[in-house]
Amino acid sequence: MTTDLKILEGRLLNTIHETAAKWGAAGVWGSDVTETGCCRLALSDLDKGVRDWFVEETKALGCTVKVDEMGSIFAIYPGKNEGLPTGIGSHLDTQPNGGRYDGIYGVLSGLEVLRTMKENNFVPNFPVAVVDWTNEEGARFPQSCIASSVWAGLVTKEEGYKLESITDKVPVSYGAELERIGYKGTTPADHTKNQLAAHFEIHIEQGPVLEHEKKKIGIVVGAQAYHWQQITVNGRSSHAGTTPMHTRSDAIHIASKMISAAIDIAKKHGGLATIGTISLEPSSVNVIPDKVTFSLDTRHVEDGILETINAEIAKEFKQIAETGSDPSQAALPLEVEHTLLLHSEAVRFNETNIATVRESAIQLFGEENVREITSGAGHDSCSTSHVVPTSMIFIPSKNGISHNPAEYSSPEEVSNGFKVLLATILRYDELRGK
Amino acid sequence: MTTDLKILEGRLLNTIHETAAKWGAAGVWGSDVTETGCCRLALSDLDKGVRDWFVEETKALGCTVKVDEMGSIFAIYPGKNEGLPTGIGSHLDTQPNGGRYDGIYGVLSGLEVLRTMKENNFVPNFPVAVVDWTNEEGARFPQSCIASSVWAGLVTKEEGYKLESITDKVPVSYGAELERIGYKGTTPADHTKNQLAAHFEIHIEQGPVLEHEKKKIGIVVGAQAYHWQQITVNGRSSHAGTTPMHTRSDAIHIASKMISAAIDIAKKHGGLATIGTISLEPSSVNVIPDKVTFSLDTRHVEDGILETINAEIAKEFKQIAETGSDPSQAALPLEVEHTLLLHSEAVRFNETNIATVRESAIQLFGEENVREITSGAGHDSCSTSHVVPTSMIFIPSKNGISHNPAEYSSPEEVSNGFKVLLATILRYDELRGK
Ligand SMILES: NC(=O)NCCC(=O)O
Ligand SMILES: NC(=O)NCCC(=O)O
């Protein structure tokens, strides 16, 4: 069942480095020219650059390229039969201070699958689509996996278009940026109208598990639940020099207590809590702020426990706000508001897909070098898993570091993962052929 | 010794409201058109607008107008003799969400003194200068009282020019903005070359003391010490979903503990601590930040105790940073840096000036309606007091609120304060005549 397709060792990694160098290399962490991260925010000029290249490359391989209404690019490599394409998807956008593997590795591995098939004059039973999903990171437009979520019918197109950027001095909308870079396609962003037979995704783990256990490949069986909120604390601004401490309704003092409390609550339940953005009004050295806004990302592998974490946090925030800085004194109580940005349920991937990855990985690297793993991060595969058979493959991340320029997987790890992906796609295609 | 100059009741308040309406009215807090605050950041177009008007008004009264190298405007009304002018100074800049009295009341009261003298055909013994000091607030360029500090020789002109704005999307320098609005004057910003005989300033209290004790006038005997720092916490950015809590070096978690600690330490010593600005890198919902920068404003009436507060805070910050999120685990220790933005020592005003204010206030409103008070806020008078005899007059602030659009003093309070200022200036001029 393994492939005897000839693989061109090193080309995938070269493509990763060449595209990073052209579109977004940033965040030097080592002395080699490839030792930087990448800043390629969704729908930016750099994103347009790499998209144009990706479209050209896949067309040159004989793909039909479709761009959907959310800007996701579907490059479809023809098969012997007309049926639905087997999808390989991930994303080409990055964090503002991201690495050069997160997402990019997945899309470029898909491209490498197509290149390898082409070179070997191999025609799959069914078409193979490589998909670049828009704004997976949720870094520029604060809803991760938005384009795959719209495609899967979890969120409306309109909600996506309305998202306002949080990385621009003057916020711009997803819809406007999509038009500006010329990637507002006409293919419906709808899994019932632009169908896939399945979705596979290869990704760096972004966490410490595989490295710690010295495993080469992670067979991803699902992903934990995560929840994004924007928290606003309303106090009363006043003068830093003339307002007695006991009469202050100091929004940042209260917010700082909330931040500590949220982290403690998540920890207590074995979950995660992250505060990634914060802003403060009016923002002047000698003014007690009256408004603090911060993001809160909470996660847990079990939906129920995540719900408990969020409920406890909300209860605690309310109490911290109401008792103010100094409840025994003249300080006014503060108010806290919660705005939901995103909720992604815990996901269990498709058993057939998982088995296909498992068999390919074990055949290539042996039982002892692979393990099942649950993703800590969200992925476009979490969206697609709601509507098509989906699973993922992980490779180790050095020091478990991601969303950091120093994100790194070795050339060997990059190559290992690609081999498992290629084998998985061929195996799945064969399965579909039967 | 009181003046029998005729006062035009209401004109000062009208001028306050008219100039607010034209240059910066913002932050509606009531239904009347005058019930807004003001946003007139130093060296902005709005600041230029009110400056041009101020220059025109004072010239029309017969003043000689000089603009110094830091942009401070000296409008000098002639006296019978040639000697140094008696100064009345304050500032026309505001906080981003400031009120319409803070500083403005002082400069426009000075103007009203000149108008009153002119109308009454009163010629003082010595010239009277009304001074608009640049960037008193420290809101746009984060060093309060910078122009008066340069004038007093406490800070160099070059340090002032280099200050970068913190309220602009793209920071601009004080020097560049000064040139842009045409207020980089040629008069030396130097108290030895552009001298004053004395400096008086009338201001709203900005705190709750006078209101609470039902006093009409505060005889300001000095100001507390204050200290501005920028604190930077360096951690390690990583993924919100894949980084176990116990391995995080979470800069905002650590910063939130520091914020609470600083406030507790200041409180313990009877001082003040305020965090007015904060920013976070990389600033993405699903990224643990690796860098948090926040301002820390600490104050105490005694220099020594302020020093103790700052030392304790620095020690505590170091410990919080080094022990990281979870010292027993794999988290890296974090680093904390302190950058000094400003240090202003506790100030005791000149006894003759204080006595002149006291006598004028008591004569007008009686012993029972006045009290001595120490300013919680810094003022341009703190700078001038280092080099010329200085003192201040306060009027009550409603609810002790300032640096907030709802800052308010009643028409009667505004008028009362002006009368004390006028009497003080005439009394001091008479004293100088002897
Ligand atoms: N893989 C990845 O970093 N996705 C971003 C969504 C998330 O925060 O988990
Ligand atoms: N009066 C006033 O608000 N001055 C600003 C400087 C300070 O923060 O005390």
Side-chain angles (χ1 to χ4, degrees), chain A residues 91 102 136-137 144 203 206 226 228 297 299 376-379 403, chain B residues 239 286:
Chain A
H91 58 98
D102 178 357
E136 191 270 353
E137 292 292 355
S144 72
H203 208 281
Q206 310 183 274
Y226 66 111
W228 288 7
D297 172 325
R299 312 206 182 200
H379 294 285
H403 287 191
Chain B
H239 195 293
N286 48 3

Coordinates of all heavy atoms in Angstrom, one line a residue, chain A residues 91 102 136-137 144 203 206 226 228 297 299 376-379 403, chain B residues 239 286, ligand 1:
Chain A
H91 N -3.1 26.9 5.9 CA -3.2 28.3 5.7 C -1.8 28.9 5.4 O -0.8 28.4 6.0 CB -3.9 29.0 6.8 CG -3.2 28.8 8.1 ND1 -2.3 29.6 8.7 CD2 -3.2 27.7 9.0 CE1 -1.8 29.2 9.8 NE2 -2.3 28.0 10.0
D102 N 4.0 27.2 10.8 CA 2.6 27.1 11.2 C 1.7 27.4 10.0 O 1.7 28.6 9.5 CB 2.4 28.2 12.3 CG 1.0 28.3 12.8 OD1 0.1 27.7 12.3 OD2 0.8 29.1 13.7
E136 N -6.7 31.9 9.0 CA -6.8 30.8 10.0 C -6.4 31.4 11.3 O -6.9 31.0 12.4 CB -5.9 29.6 9.6 CG -6.2 28.4 10.4 CD -5.3 28.3 11.7 OE1 -4.3 29.1 11.8 OE2 -5.5 27.4 12.5
E137 N -5.3 32.2 11.4 CA -4.7 32.6 12.6 C -5.7 33.4 13.5 O -5.5 33.3 14.8 CB -3.4 33.4 12.4 CG -2.3 32.6 11.8 CD -1.7 31.5 12.8 OE1 -2.2 31.4 13.9 OE2 -0.9 30.7 12.3
S144 N -10.4 33.0 14.5 CA -9.6 32.1 13.8 C -10.4 31.2 13.0 O -11.6 30.9 13.3 CB -8.7 31.3 14.8 OG -9.5 30.4 15.6
H203 N 0.5 19.5 10.0 CA 0.8 20.8 10.7 C 1.9 20.5 11.7 O 2.1 19.3 12.1 CB -0.5 21.2 11.5 CG -0.5 22.7 11.7 ND1 0.2 23.3 12.7 CD2 -1.2 23.7 11.0 CE1 -0.1 24.6 12.7 NE2 -0.9 24.9 11.7
Q206 N 3.1 22.4 17.5 CA 3.1 23.7 18.2 C 3.2 23.5 19.7 O 3.0 24.5 20.4 CB 1.8 24.5 17.8 CG 1.6 24.6 16.3 CD 0.4 25.5 16.0 OE1 -0.7 25.0 15.9 NE2 0.6 26.8 15.7
Y226 N -12.1 25.6 22.3 CA -11.6 26.9 22.7 C -12.6 28.0 22.5 O -13.6 27.8 21.7 CB -10.3 27.2 22.1 CG -10.2 27.4 20.6 CD1 -9.9 28.7 20.1 CD2 -10.3 26.3 19.7 CE1 -9.8 28.8 18.7 CE2 -10.1 26.5 18.4 CZ -9.9 27.8 17.8 OH -9.7 27.9 16.5
W228 N -13.2 32.3 22.7 CA -12.5 33.7 22.7 C -13.6 34.7 23.1 O -14.7 34.8 22.5 CB -12.0 34.1 21.3 CG -10.8 33.3 20.9 CD1 -10.2 32.2 21.5 CD2 -10.0 33.6 19.7 NE1 -9.1 31.8 20.8 CE2 -8.9 32.6 19.7 CE3 -10.1 34.5 18.7 CZ2 -8.0 32.6 18.7 CZ3 -9.1 34.5 17.7 CH2 -8.1 33.5 17.7
D297 N -8.7 34.0 26.0 CA -8.8 32.8 25.2 C -8.7 31.7 26.3 O -7.7 31.6 27.0 CB -7.6 32.8 24.3 CG -7.3 31.4 23.6 OD1 -7.6 30.4 24.1 OD2 -6.8 31.5 22.4
R299 N -9.3 27.4 27.1 CA -9.3 26.1 26.3 C -9.4 24.9 27.3 O -8.9 25.0 28.4 CB -8.1 25.9 25.5 CG -7.8 27.1 24.6 CD -7.0 26.8 23.4 NE -6.7 28.1 22.7 CZ -6.4 28.2 21.4 NH1 -6.3 27.1 20.7 NH2 -6.2 29.3 20.9
G376 N -3.9 21.0 20.6 CA -4.2 22.1 21.6 C -4.7 23.3 20.8 O -5.5 24.1 21.3
A377 N -4.3 23.4 19.6 CA -4.6 24.6 18.8 C -5.9 24.2 17.9 O -6.2 23.1 17.7 CB -3.5 24.9 17.8
G378 N -6.6 25.3 17.5 CA -7.6 25.1 16.5 C -7.0 25.0 15.1 O -5.9 25.5 14.9
H379 N -7.7 24.4 14.2 CA -7.2 24.3 12.8 C -8.4 24.3 11.9 O -9.5 24.1 12.3 CB -6.4 23.0 12.6 CG -5.2 22.9 13.4 ND1 -4.0 23.6 13.1 CD2 -4.9 22.2 14.6 CE1 -3.1 23.3 14.0 NE2 -3.6 22.5 14.9
H403 N 3.8 30.4 17.4 CA 3.4 31.8 17.5 C 4.5 32.6 18.1 O 4.4 33.4 19.0 CB 2.1 31.9 18.4 CG 0.9 31.4 17.7 ND1 -0.4 31.5 18.2 CD2 0.8 30.7 16.5 CE1 -1.3 31.0 17.3 NE2 -0.6 30.5 16.3
Chain B
H239 N 2.2 29.8 21.9 CA 0.8 29.6 21.5 C -0.2 29.4 22.6 O 0.1 28.6 23.6 CB 0.8 28.3 20.6 CG -0.4 28.1 19.8 ND1 -1.6 27.9 20.3 CD2 -0.6 28.1 18.4 CE1 -2.5 27.7 19.3 NE2 -1.9 27.9 18.2
N286 N -4.5 34.8 20.4 CA -4.0 33.5 20.7 C -2.5 33.4 20.9 O -1.9 32.3 20.6 CB -4.5 32.4 19.7 CG -4.3 32.9 18.3 OD1 -3.7 33.9 18.0 ND2 -4.8 32.1 17.3
Ligands
LIG1 N1 -2.9 26.4 14.5 C1 -3.1 27.6 15.0 O1 -2.2 28.3 15.5 N2 -4.4 28.1 14.9 C2 -4.8 29.3 15.4 C3 -6.1 29.0 16.1 C4 -5.8 28.8 17.5 O2 -5.6 29.8 18.3 O3 -5.8 27.6 18.0

